[in-house]
Amino acid sequence: MTTAPEGEPVADPALRRALTAAGLPARGRYLPTHGWVSRAWVGEHHVVRLSEGRFRDAYRHEAAVVGLLEGTEVPHAPHIAHGDGPDGPWSVSERLPGRTLHAAWPEADLSTRRALIESLGSALRALHQVPVPESLRPPWLADALAGEQWPAYHPPVVSAAPARVEAARRRPDHDARLLADVAAWIQDRMGLFADDRPVLVHGDLHGSNVMVDQGRVTGLIDFAEGSAQAADAELDTLLRWCARSEEFPPTPGGHGLERSTLAEVPRWLHGAYPELFEREHLRERLAVYDLTMEIAIYAHHPEPGPRSTAHGRLTRLLRGRSHLDDVMSQLDGLVE
């Protein structure tokens, strides 16, 4: 991989245009990389991202969320600028020290791994104390909830689950009996969420969205899914990452972490941030979050493969089986 020497103009025209639009010198060393929905360049002081545009106003929303973090104890990358250009939506933020938790994890020893997760617990506690507008929700998520075909995961929105069932019923290939059972199952559990107090939730926390250095978290990144939700909604992705880590490679064609290496993460996180796990009926609430995500895929994903997978997972959830069964066994005696 070649990069421009220190001080020389950057070679990539899209990077050059983004830096210029942000009011920054278009010079220096930038390492190019690719994510799932964006290109990125990592410089000595800044990170530049260029989106393919599928997630409407994602960078604008992220900038608003990061703005809420200013002056708080939440470790994060300060936002520099964002906008829309001839190459698509772009965003520039300060570069945080270290590397992603995903990259650091394999070579970290057991004590370092524990320290990293405990530091993550402290970061999450600070995040969930940030004042947040109750209406905070990504614009692209509103599009997905409005019924558009949506070929990606999105955070669980429990209040929208009944509408997702109705959307699934409009598909010509739907399983009517399954959807009737899902509707009844959801209705029986909606009362579990009646007294929720929304807090600022990251919504997509896993190894690639946490920066670490010298045994601590230096920042939470990628707040495109930040929203006002109950704090335990944060566990939906975090525990999914522990249970199905192979589904969380950092880049297309990459590999997720070895699942066995994440076995202690729930217990370590509980030790650092026990309040996150103290919600009454937590196991059942987590099952509802999971079902909410699966019914969204079953209703809106344009491809038959993911819809078929969601059908199978919905069936297992109705039977009381979940991908979290093994993960939650680490917390036996500690959570309800």
Side-chain angles (χ1 to χ4, degrees):
M1 181 182 299
T2 59
T3 59
E6 182 93 18
E8 290 192 6
V10 297
D12 191 296
L15 172 61
R16 186 169 59 250
R17 283 189 284 267
L19 287 169
T20 300
L24 296 171
R27 308 178 71 86
R29 296 178 180 271
Y30 282 87
L31 296 175
T33 183
H34 285 269
W36 284 93
V37 295
S38 65
R39 299 167 61 192
W41 295 267
V42 180
E44 183 179 357
H45 302 292
H46 301 104
V47 175
V48 181
R49 289 175 293 159
L50 183 66
S51 172
E52 65 183 31
R54 179 172 53 171
F55 292 80
R56 179 172 68 89
D57 288 335
Y59 290 153
R60 179 178 64 81
H61 176 75
E62 183 175 13
V65 175
V66 171
L68 297 174
L69 306 181
E70 293 181 8
T72 73
E73 297 182 0
V74 182
H76 66 282
H79 176 74
I80 302 298
H82 68 282
D84 292 293
D87 307 294
W90 57 267
S91 177
V92 182
S93 59
E94 290 187 13
R95 180 182 177 178
L96 293 169
R99 50 184 176 159
T100 66
L101 178 61
H102 178 97
W105 193 260
E107 64 189 51
D109 59 27
L110 194 64
S111 62
T112 301
R113 289 176 178 177
R114 180 168 186 164
L116 291 171
I117 298 304
E118 290 174 347
S119 181
L120 176 60
S122 298
L124 284 177
R125 180 187 286 107
L127 178 68
H128 296 160
Q129 293 174 355
V130 175
V132 59
E134 292 191 11
S135 60
L136 183 69
R137 183 174 292 174
W140 59 264
L141 179 56
D143 295 342
L145 295 177
E148 295 184 11
Q149 285 199 343
W150 194 251
Y153 163 84
H154 66 67
V157 181
V158 173
S159 62
R164 303 285 70 71
V165 175
E166 294 308 311
R169 283 177 170 148
R170 293 193 288 271
R171 299 195 69 97
D173 57 348
H174 74 271
D175 183 332
R177 181 172 180 177
L178 173 69
L179 293 178
D181 291 342
V182 167
W185 191 94
I186 292 172
Q187 184 60 40
D188 288 345
R189 290 159 178 80
M190 290 297 284
L192 297 176
F193 302 86
D195 299 325
D196 280 0
R197 180 181 67 85
V199 303
L200 180 54
V201 168
H202 182 284
D204 191 27
L205 267 183
H206 51 81
S208 295
N209 286 339
V210 180
M211 297 296 295
V212 301
D213 190 40
Q214 299 182 4
R216 65 180 181 88
V217 170
T218 59
L220 310 180
I221 61 174
D222 192 356
F223 280 90
E225 296 184 14
S227 63
Q229 294 225 66
D232 63 351
E234 203 79 85
L235 291 171
D236 181 66
T237 300
L238 269 171
L239 298 184
R240 190 185 307 276
W241 172 56
C242 295
R244 304 202 311 239
S245 57
E246 66 278 2
E247 298 179 9
F248 291 84
T251 58
H255 298 282
L257 294 174
E258 176 61 40
R259 190 184 310 177
S260 62
T261 69
L262 300 172
E264 294 292 324
V265 167
R267 188 168 61 83
W268 291 336
L269 187 61
H270 179 276
Y273 185 9
E275 309 96 296
L276 185 60
F277 296 81
E278 290 174 354
R279 187 64 192 240
E280 190 176 9
H281 306 298
L282 177 64
R283 292 175 187 263
E284 200 159 9
R285 286 171 61 91
L286 290 174
V288 175
Y289 290 140
D290 190 24
L291 182 137
T292 300
M293 192 272 285
E294 298 296 349
I295 192 61
I297 292 175
Y298 187 64
H300 297 307
H301 204 290
E303 298 176 9
R307 291 202 308 273
S308 177
T309 298
H311 182 284
R313 289 174 176 169
L314 288 168
T315 300
R316 288 192 292 275
L317 279 165
L318 294 179
R319 294 173 180 171
R321 294 160 50 200
S322 166
H323 65 274
L324 294 182
D325 291 343
D326 290 339
V327 170
M328 294 302 288
S329 68
Q330 296 291 325
L331 299 172
D332 283 346
L334 297 175
V335 302
E336 183 178 350

